Amino acid sequence: MTRFEAVRGAILSNITGPQKVFWTSVVIAAPTALRLLLGHSANPVPFVTYFPAIMLAAVFLGWRWAAIATVASALIVNRLFLSRPWLENPSQSEITILFFFCASCAVLILIGDTLRRAVRETERLSRERDVLNGELYHRVQNVLSVVTALVGMAKANDVAQFREDLLGRILALSKANRVLKDGTSTGRSVEELIAQAVAPFRRDCSMALAGPPRTLPVDACYQLVLILHELCTNALKHGALRVETGRVHVNWTAEPHPFRLDWREAGGPPVAPPKRKGLGSKLFAGQHMFAVEVRYEPAGVTAAATLIGSLASGTEA
């Protein structure tokens, strides 16, 4: 392990409250002991041994604990290492020295805490990047599987008709994905949203959509499209949409009830729970606006996506 990795690991470690109290005590006690060893030779600069400790406290513990260490250090120096404590009747020069000590510690705390925040923010962005890379890989694999399946779904008596049918489905897939980058804050029609999301996967009467008029905010729409895309992809690869006789029924609730979408497959091949959890399962579990429950029943996959949190109280519109 390199020196940088060791420092980085210490900054990223989750230190408990009692541990922070212990290390803050060490930050105060260590320079105090060193100051006692230096004796009168350190009198011209009574706070000299405390500056590195304050910097380390800011880097590894955060600005709050470094500030506590600063105040405690000032009190200790005032009481132990001065012939006449400043707080009793300080002179102008003594007040100036104390001011510069506090100002210097403030600068050290600012620098140390900034470094600490930078390392932690870099680590958070790195984790998000890894998640996004994994999700991107999963999406690319899904798109390739979907396109392959769409080729198999396209029906035609000649090449021109086959091409028209296939291009129409790919265009529908593009329109369904377009909502994922919609930056508006207005609500969207649930019926229109679902119709666009499942359009590339529909074949004749293979999917039935039923539900009352309703709107959802764009943030919820984004996650709902991801959920529908995952369900459609799985149905196309393994479930009801894989065969001619398969059917999918999609229903949703009316206002003012909390939004809930029900997905039910029938007429497809035999269904069995997956042996391991893939990225699709992680996507369902990672939704912070929807609680997604998927059941692998003998007749076909069923799923329920229920809006949770503040949006579920009837404020979607």
Side-chain angles (χ1 to χ4, degrees):
M1 178 181 292
T2 64
R3 180 171 50 191
F4 174 78
E5 290 174 341
V7 172
R8 175 175 166 273
I11 292 175
L12 295 176
S13 61
N14 294 320
I15 304 176
T16 64
Q19 289 175 326
K20 288 182 178 181
V21 172
F22 169 76
W23 285 114
T24 302
S25 301
V26 171
V27 163
I28 299 170
T32 300
L34 181 59
R35 177 67 178 77
L36 288 171
L37 290 175
L38 292 175
H40 296 292
S41 61
N43 283 346
V45 188
F47 297 102
V48 65
T49 59
Y50 292 90
F51 292 117
I54 299 299
M55 180 69 171
L56 291 175
V59 171
F60 296 108
L61 301 177
W63 69 268
R64 291 179 180 85
W65 295 95
I68 292 173
T70 299
V71 174
S73 299
L75 293 175
I76 289 173
V77 170
N78 179 69
R79 182 57 57 184
L80 297 182
F81 302 118
L82 300 177
S83 57
R84 181 175 55 84
W86 291 342
L87 298 181
E88 293 180 1
N89 185 23
S91 65
Q92 185 65 38
S93 61
E94 291 170 340
I95 293 176
T96 302
I97 293 175
L98 181 61
F99 170 77
F100 276 108
F101 169 70
C102 294
S104 299
C105 287
V107 173
L108 292 175
I109 291 172
L110 176 63
I111 295 173
D113 191 66
T114 301
L115 174 61
R116 173 184 174 84
R117 290 174 183 270
V119 171
R120 285 179 166 261
E121 180 67 11
T122 300
E123 179 67 15
R124 183 186 67 81
L125 293 175
S126 177
R127 289 197 301 267
E128 288 186 357
R129 181 198 61 197
D130 293 340
V131 171
L132 288 174
N133 285 341
E135 180 63 22
L136 177 61
Y137 173 80
H138 179 56
R139 291 292 148 212
V140 170
Q141 293 299 111
N142 265 359
V143 168
L144 293 175
S145 299
V146 167
V147 171
T148 301
L150 292 180
V151 172
M153 289 172 62
K155 296 180 179 180
N157 296 323
D158 54 51
V159 175
Q161 186 178 352
F162 175 85
R163 178 178 177 274
E164 182 179 355
D165 187 16
L166 179 59
L167 288 178
R169 294 183 183 279
I170 293 177
L171 180 61
L173 179 64
S174 174
K175 289 181 178 179
N177 287 333
R178 197 167 298 164
V179 71
L180 300 183
K181 65 182 186 67
D182 189 342
T184 64
S185 58
T186 58
R188 295 180 65 94
S189 166
V190 170
E191 184 175 10
E192 178 185 357
L193 176 76
I194 294 175
Q196 288 183 354
V198 304
F201 306 90
R202 301 183 75 171
R203 176 178 53 214
D204 301 330
C205 299
S206 61
M207 301 189 75
L209 311 180
R214 187 157 192 173
T215 59
L216 285 176
V218 169
D219 287 346
C221 292
Y222 175 92
Q223 294 196 10
L224 184 60
V225 168
L226 287 177
I227 293 168
L228 285 168
H229 189 275
E230 190 66 31
L231 290 171
C232 287
T233 300
N234 290 336
L236 192 62
K237 292 163 62 177
H238 312 292
L241 297 180
R242 184 180 177 184
V243 297
E244 293 286 340
T245 58
R247 296 290 182 268
V248 175
H249 300 271
V250 182
N251 305 89
W252 58 92
T253 56
E255 293 177 316
H257 303 290
F259 179 80
R260 173 187 167 108
L261 180 138
D262 290 299
W263 170 283
R264 180 169 56 87
E265 299 180 25
V271 173
K275 295 181 179 179
R276 62 180 182 86
K277 290 186 177 182
L279 283 175
S281 300
K282 295 178 181 178
L283 181 144
F284 291 150
Q287 300 294 330
H288 65 275
M289 287 189 176
F290 285 91
V292 183
E293 180 184 3
V294 181
R295 297 180 297 275
Y296 299 89
E297 301 177 354
V301 172
T302 63
T306 305
L307 193 64
I308 56 178
S310 60
L311 293 177
S313 60
T315 59
E316 298 98 335

